[in-house]
C-alpha cells in the first residue's frame, strides 16, 4: 500500500473524509468493546473447569510424601507441585518455592524484603541514598508500579527485536552500584511478544554488576503460552546459563499458572539458586506458616504432568490463535506500507504492541475510546506512565469474543489512520 | 491434696522414688507423643471435606454481583465472603479486606508496610531510631518473631485473668512515642485461653497513645472457637468500641478460617476503619491483582452463613471438648493443692497454659521429651524465647488422639511433680 507520506495533501484530505465518515458510523452505534485487559476469556477459563472435580469429599488429600495437605506446614510447597512447575519453567524442583496465587505478589515481596532486610547480607536498600532499576520499555506496567511504590528510580532501556539493548544494560549494570535489578519478561514479552535471543540471554548471564546484590527479575509469565504447536519461540533457561557463567545467584525467576488455570486461583512460584533460597526462606518462615497446599494438589491432580499442561495450553492456543491472527491480518491489510506504524506478529503471550507515529498514541487511544473501544492507556507500558515518544499502544486480544475483537480492531485501525493523517497534515502545514 | 511444700523431706523423697519408677516405665515404652502443635486433628479436618464438593465443573463460579470468580480482579474480596467473615467477627462487611490463606501473613504485611511506607502518612518506621511493641506475655510466638525480624524492641506486659495489665499498657502507650503497637489475642488467648474482660477492652479503646500511628494488633484467631454451646466467653467488639471512644483508626483486627476449615487453605481477613482501609489499599493494589476468589466462594457456598459456621464449630467443639476436659481433670486430680503450678480451664481456643514453679519449665519440657512427649519449647510464648521466670509451658491438646493425649498428660504431670520436688528439695538443702 502507498505510504501516507507519499500521498498528496488532496489525497490525504480525501482519505481523511472517508475515514471520518466510517468513524462516525462506529461512534453512533454505541459499542462497548474492551481491548485493554490481559485477561483470559470465559471460554479459556472453561477449559480448566475440570479442576473443580479432581478433589472431592472422598479424595485423599495427602501428597506423595504423606503430608496431609489440609493442615498447616510445608513452607516451600509440596514436592509434586515443585516438579510440575519445575517442568513448566525448566528448573530443578529443589530450586523452587511455591507461593500463593500471584507471581506479582512474589515480586513485590522480593523487593520489600530487599528494601528492609537486604539481599544475602548486603545493606538493606532503605539504608541507601539511591536505588535504581533498569526497565526495558515498553514493558509491564505493574512491574514499574512496584518499583515506583518503593521509591526506586527507573531507567528506560529500549527493547530491540532480540530483547533489551544489551550494550546499554551491560554498561549501566557494570558501572553503577545503585542499580540493583532489571525487570524482564523474557518470553513473548508484555506488550511486544518478543522473546529474548540466545545472545541476549547469554549476555545477561555474563553481566558483571557493580552491585553485589544486583538481581535479574526474570518474569517468565508466558513461558508455555504458545500460539502454535511447532512454530514456537525458544528461550535459553536463565538459571542454568547464569550457573554456567559463574553467576549462579544473579537471577530470580518468577512464574505462575494464572493464565494457565484460573487467574487469582492459580499457583505461583520463584526459582533461584540455593543461596538465594536460604535468604528468602529466612523471611518466608516469619511471614507465613505455608501457602495453599490443597490448591497445589488440585493443580497437580488436574494437569498430572507437563504433558497434560502442554495439551491444555494447546487448547488455549486454539482459542487465542484466531484472535491474534485476525488482528495481525487486519494490520497487514490496512496499515502495511502506510508508514504510520509498526507491529510484531507474536508467536505467543497475551499482547500485541502497536508502535504509532511519534506523538500519536494518546490521541489514538482517546479517539478509540470515543467510539466505544477501550484500549490500555497510552503510556502504561512505561515507568511513571510516561512514554517519551507517545507512540506505544498495547493491544490485548484475549478477553473479548472474536466478533467483538474484529469490530474493535477495525475501529482501532480507523483511529490510527485518522490521527496519523492529522499529524502528517499538521506537519506539512 | 497436700502441698509439696507442707510435706517433710522424707515424704518428698518417698514420693520422688515412686514418681521415678513411673517415669522409667514411661520412658522404656518408647512413646512418640506430641503436645506441641496448635494444629487441628485429622478428625476435625474431616468435618470440612464437604467443602471439596460445593464447587464442581458444572457450578457457576460467578458471585452475587456477577463477577466471574475464576478471573482476575476484586482487590478486597467478594462481597459474600466479606459478609460471612463480617458476621464471624462482628464487623460490617465494608470494614473488611479479604486476603489469602493466612492472617499471620496479613500481620507481617502490615508491619512491613508500616516499616517502609508508614501508617497513614506518618514517618515510616525504618526512618526512626527506635520502634517498640508491647507484648502481653505469655503470648503467641509467631507474633513476636515478626516484630523481632523487623528489629522492633519488645516490651513484656504481664497477662492477668482479665487480659494484659492495663495500668502498664496505659502508662507506656501514653508516654512513649516509640511504642507503635501491641500484640493481642483477645479471645481464648494463646496460650492461656483468657478472654479480655469488658473493662480491659474499654480501656484499650480509650488509650491515648503518644504515637499517632499506634495501632492495636487485635488477632481474633479464636473468635468462634468455643468449647461449649452456652457457656461461652464474650468479647466486646473492638472496632465499634474504638469508634465510640473517638479512636476509630486505632485498631487492626485480624482473623481467618484456618482453624475452622483447612489451615493453609482457608481465607484470612483484616477489619479496620475506612481511613486505615484506604491506607492499606494503596499498598495492596501494588502488591497484587487480587486474592483467591474461588476459594472465597468455596467457603461461602460451604458454610452458607454464620449459622452454618456456628453449627460447624459445634462439631469441632465436640471433638475438642473431651481433650481439654481430660487435661484439666488430670491437673485437678493430680496437681490441685500441691502448690507446684497453676492453670486456667479455658472455654475455647487451642491451648492450655501451665504455670510451673519458677525455674522449672525448661526442665519439665526436657524431662517430658526424654520420655517421648514433645511439648512446645519452654520460653516460646515470650519475646526472644526468653521466659524470665522459666515457668510457662504451653500445652496443645488438639492434634493427638484422646488416647495419646491421656498418656502424654500423665507423663507431663509426672514430670511436673518430679522437677518440682527436685526444686523444693534443692531449696531446702
Amino acid at each position: 500500500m502507498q505510504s501516507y507520506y507519499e500521498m498528496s495533501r488532496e489525497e490525504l484530505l480525501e482519505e481523511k473524509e472517508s475515514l471520518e465518515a466510517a468513524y462516525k458510523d462506529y461512534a453512533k452505534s454505541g459499542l462497548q468493546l474492551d481491548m485493554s485487559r490481559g485477561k483470559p476469556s470465559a471460554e479459556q477459563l472453561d477449559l480448566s473447569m475440570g479442576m473443580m472435580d479432581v478433589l472431592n469429599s472422598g479424595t485423599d488429600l495427602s501428597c506423595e510424601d504423606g503430608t496431609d495437605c489440609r493442615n498447616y506446614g510445608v513452607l516451600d510447597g509440596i514436592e509434586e507441585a515443585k516438579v510440575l512447575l519445575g517442568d513448566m519453567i525448566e528448573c530443578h524442583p529443589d530450586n523452587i518455592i511455591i507461593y500463593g496465587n500471584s507471581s506479582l505478589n512474589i515480586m513485590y515481596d522480593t523487593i520489600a524484603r530487599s528494601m528492609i532486610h537486604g539481599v544475602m547480607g548486603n545493606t538493606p536498600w532503605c539504608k541507601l541514598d539511591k536505588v535504581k532499576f533498569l526497565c526495558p520499555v515498553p514493558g509491564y506496567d505493574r512491574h514499574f508500579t512496584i518499583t515506583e511504590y518503593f521509591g526506586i528510580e527507573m531507567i528506560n532501556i529500549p527493547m530491540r527485536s532480540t530483547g533489551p539493548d544489551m550494550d546499554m544494560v551491560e554498561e549501566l549494570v557494570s558501572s553503577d552500584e545503585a542499580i540493583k535489578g532489571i525487570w524482564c519478561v523474557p518470553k513473548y514479552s508484555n506488550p511486544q511478544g518478543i522473546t529474548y535471543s540466545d545472545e541476549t540471554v547469554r549476555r545477561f548471564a555474563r553481566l558483571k554488576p557493580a552491585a553485589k546484590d544486583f538481581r535479574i527479575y526474570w518474569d517468565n509469565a508466558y513461558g508455555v503460552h504458545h500460539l502454535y504447536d511447532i512454530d514456537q519461540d525458544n528461550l535459553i533457561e536463565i538459571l542454568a546459563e547464569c550457573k554456567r557463567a559463574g553467576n549462579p545467584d544473579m537471577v530470580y525467576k518468577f512464574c505462575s499458572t494464572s493464565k494457565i488455570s484460573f487467574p487469582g486461583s492459580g499457583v505461583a512460584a520463584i526459582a533461584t539458586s540455593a543461596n538465594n533460597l536460604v535468604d528468602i526462606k529466612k523471611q518466608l518462615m516469619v511471614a507465613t506458616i505455608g501457602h495453599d497446599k490443597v490448591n497445589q494438589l488440585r493443580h497437580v491432580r488436574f494437569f498430572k504432568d507437563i504433558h497434560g499442561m502442554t495439551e491444555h495450553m494447546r487448547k488455549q492456543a486454539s482459542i487465542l490463535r484466531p484472535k491474534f491472527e485476525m488482528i495481525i491480518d487486519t494490520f497487514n491489510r490496512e496499515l502495511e506500507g502506510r508508514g504510520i506504524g509498526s507491529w510484531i506478529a507474536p508467536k505467543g503471550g497475551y499482547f500485541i504492541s502497536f508502535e504509532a507515529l511519534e506523538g500519536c498514541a494518546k490521541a489514538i487511544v482517546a479517539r478509540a475510546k470515543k467510539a466505544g473501544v477501550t484500549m490500555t492507556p497510552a503510556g502504561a507500558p512505561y515507568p511513571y506512565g510516561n512514554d517519551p515518544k507517545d507512540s506505544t499502544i498495547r493491544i490485548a486480544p484475549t478477553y473479548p469474543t472474536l466478533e467483538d475483537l474484529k469490530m474493535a480492531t477495525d475501529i482501532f485501525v480507523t483511529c490510527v489512520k485518522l490521527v496519523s493523517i492529522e499529524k502528517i497534515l499538521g506537519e506539512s502545514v
Side-chain angles (χ1 to χ4, degrees), chain A:
Chain A
M1 256 178 299
Q2 195 182 10
S3 167
Y4 280 174
Y5 281 96
E6 291 163 0
M7 285 164 75
S8 70
R9 189 172 173 84
E10 287 64 34
E11 284 171 317
L12 283 177
L13 285 169
E14 198 179 322
E15 172 90 349
K16 184 165 177 265
E17 200 172 332
S18 105
L19 289 164
E20 275 170 346
Y23 179 84
K24 265 188 198 161
D25 286 344
Y26 290 130
K28 269 194 293 195
S29 55
L31 296 165
Q32 287 295 336
L33 304 171
D34 197 330
M35 291 211 292
S36 74
R37 295 180 293 177
K39 294 165 67 166
S41 63
E43 198 184 353
Q44 288 174 266
L45 299 175
D46 287 345
L47 296 174
S48 299
M49 284 305 286
M51 189 173 282
M52 295 292 103
D53 293 333
V54 291
L55 305 184
N56 59 56
S57 57
T59 311
D60 178 3
L61 296 185
S62 55
C63 54
E64 282 163 18
D65 71 1
T67 302
D68 188 340
C69 290
R70 305 173 301 177
N71 220 326
Y72 284 112
V74 191
L75 186 66
D76 52 1
I78 64 173
E79 182 64 18
E80 47 264 60
K82 289 188 192 176
V83 169
L84 177 64
L85 269 70
D87 281 344
M88 180 175 107
I89 59 170
E90 302 164 315
C91 287
H92 194 282
D94 290 353
N95 289 109
I96 291 176
I97 298 175
I98 313 273
Y99 278 72
N101 71 329
S102 159
S103 58
L104 189 79
N105 195 229
I106 309 180
M107 298 174 220
Y108 175 95
D109 259 8
T110 305
I111 304 260
R113 180 180 61 248
S114 306
M115 289 295 294
I116 312 181
H117 288 94
V119 176
M120 276 175 56
N122 290 284
T123 309
W125 298 352
C126 70
K127 307 280 181 200
L128 302 174
D129 290 335
K130 184 66 109 179
V131 175
K132 302 175 191 171
F133 252 63
L134 303 185
C135 301
V137 289
Y140 178 33
D141 58 343
R142 285 185 176 270
H143 285 164
F144 307 149
T145 304
I146 292 175
T147 24
E148 182 177 2
Y149 180 71
F150 285 100
I152 293 170
E153 186 183 316
M154 294 180 276
I155 300 167
N156 290 1
I157 305 288
M159 279 290 286
R160 311 295 180 207
S161 62
T162 52
D165 180 329
M166 290 308 294
D167 291 342
M168 199 171 162
V169 170
E170 284 165 352
E171 194 193 316
L172 285 167
V173 166
S174 64
S175 64
D176 188 348
E177 212 187 338
I179 295 173
K180 301 298 189 189
I182 180 168
W183 287 119
C184 296
V185 184
K187 193 163 177 183
Y188 304 135
S189 70
N190 177 351
Q192 293 167 296
I194 290 170
T195 298
Y196 293 9
S197 71
D198 292 359
E199 183 191 325
T200 297
V201 180
R202 294 199 206 285
R203 288 174 72 179
F204 260 112
R206 286 158 182 79
L207 285 174
K208 295 180 178 57
K212 276 186 201 167
D213 50 353
F214 171 84
R215 294 291 181 271
I216 302 164
Y217 283 62
W218 198 256
D219 181 1
N220 201 22
Y222 308 105
V224 296
H225 301 63
H226 311 287
L227 289 174
Y228 303 94
D229 194 35
I230 298 291
D231 188 16
Q232 297 179 350
D233 287 353
N234 184 52
L235 175 72
I236 292 183
E237 202 292 300
I238 184 78
L239 258 72
E241 190 61 28
C242 281
K243 212 169 163 185
R244 284 190 283 263
N247 281 323
D249 300 328
M250 199 171 59
V251 60
Y252 299 129
K253 185 168 172 178
F254 306 95
C255 69
S256 81
T257 66
S258 290
K259 291 182 180 91
I260 299 173
S261 59
F262 297 137
S265 302
V267 172
I270 192 170
T272 191
S273 70
N275 286 333
N276 282 322
L277 289 179
V278 167
D279 196 43
I280 292 169
K281 284 184 190 171
K282 270 184 213 158
Q283 173 226 352
L284 201 57
M285 64 187 298
V286 177
T288 186
I289 305 177
H291 296 99
D292 187 342
K293 296 185 297 301
V294 171
N295 203 34
Q296 293 172 25
L297 197 68
R298 186 179 287 118
H299 278 72
V300 172
R301 300 260 169 104
F302 178 63
F303 291 115
K304 295 190 178 69
D305 54 27
I306 188 61
H307 176 63
M309 191 182 277
T310 303
E311 290 292 319
H312 182 81
M313 292 314 288
R314 201 171 274 162
K315 293 178 203 161
Q316 299 254 12
S318 69
I319 296 171
L320 295 180
R321 204 184 310 114
K323 297 182 180 182
F324 277 77
E325 289 182 347
M326 181 278 295
I327 291 177
I328 296 297
D329 288 349
T330 307
F331 286 2
N332 287 342
R333 189 178 66 241
E334 297 292 330
L335 300 174
E336 183 76 59
R338 289 286 188 208
I340 56 173
S342 63
W343 57 93
I344 298 166
K347 293 182 187 166
Y350 255 58
F351 303 102
I352 294 170
S353 186
F354 183 80
E355 200 66 16
L357 294 177
E358 203 167 324
C360 288
K362 276 184 193 158
I364 292 168
V365 169
R367 181 95 48 141
K369 181 86 192 170
K370 274 196 186 169
V373 177
T374 306
M375 315 287 302
T376 307
Y382 290 78
Y384 315 107
N386 176 29
D387 176 357
K389 291 186 179 167
D390 183 28
S391 63
T392 305
I393 300 171
R394 188 183 83 163
I395 296 161
T398 57
Y399 191 66
T401 62
L402 182 57
E403 194 182 359
D404 280 359
L405 196 66
K406 267 183 192 159
M407 180 68 83
T409 306
D410 288 343
I411 295 173
F412 175 73
V413 163
T414 305
C415 295
V416 168
K417 289 179 181 172
L418 265 176
V419 171
S420 302
I421 289 177
E422 281 165 9
K423 179 188 158 82
I424 295 167
L425 286 172
E427 280 171 359
S428 68
V429 167

